[in-house]
């Protein structure tokens, strides 16, 4: 079955995010009273799996192997609609 | 009041995303049967505003001016908890 999963990858708390700092400063420079910014990347994957459990398992492996760096990133996996098709 | 908004920025459909293509190919190379990948960036902003309407208005302006490029990106704004504090 075709499954669709959304993997959200964000920096662990305590890890510096210079890109977010730059964006915050740029927003303040443009006149916005922005206190803090956190960034995350979202990957929407479509892949074949036997079951929901198998799909979550595969998405976890893909995250650990490629999408996230487990040393600095936290990731979160959400199956969309359980399945995306067949 | 302090508001928290989540701005999701993704490429408009039809715009090529070579980074996503590279990730898809890398996943396939690693043995995952991944059909498609879509990427998005999420910014979690914390800023002061007078009301929810004003907060959405400000987040829209920030998205248009800095976070997204309206020519190639779609963006979506979601207020989290209505307000994040006071």
């Amino acid at each position: 079955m075709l499954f669709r999963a959304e993997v959200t990858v964000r920096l662990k708390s305590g890890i510096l995010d210079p890109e977010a700092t730059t964006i915050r400063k740029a927003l303040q420079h443009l006149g916005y009273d922005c206190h803090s910014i956190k960034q995350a990347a979202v990957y929407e994957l479509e892949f074949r799996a036997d079951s929901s459990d198998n799909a979550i398992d595969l998405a976890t492996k893909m995250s650990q192997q490629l999408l996230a760096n487990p040393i600095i990133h936290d990731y979160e996996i959400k199956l969309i609609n359980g399945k995306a098709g067949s």
Side-chain angles (χ1 to χ4, degrees), chain A:
Chain A
M1 273 187 301
L2 254 191
F3 283 84
R4 198 181 295 163
E6 208 179 80
V7 179
T8 306
V9 178
R10 45 171 63 88
L11 285 171
K12 290 188 180 189
S13 65
I15 305 277
L16 289 180
D17 187 350
E19 199 180 326
T21 308
T22 307
I23 295 172
R24 182 174 52 76
K25 284 184 185 164
L27 284 173
Q28 287 171 346
H29 196 71
L30 287 167
Y32 298 105
D33 184 18
C34 186
H35 290 233
S36 85
I37 283 207
K38 281 179 198 163
Q39 268 197 111
V42 177
Y43 303 96
E44 201 182 299
L45 312 167
E46 223 174 273
F47 55 97
R48 290 203 177 277
D50 300 329
S51 63
S52 304
D53 286 348
N54 182 228
I56 289 177
D57 194 47
L58 279 172
T60 306
K61 281 184 185 155
M62 289 191 244
S63 305
Q64 286 174 346
Q65 273 195 278
L66 191 85
L67 303 176
N69 175 351
I71 296 169
I72 56 166
H73 291 134
D74 280 329
Y75 60 88
E76 202 183 289
I77 293 162
K78 200 169 75 185
L79 275 194
I80 301 173
N81 303 338
K83 56 176 181 170
S86 65

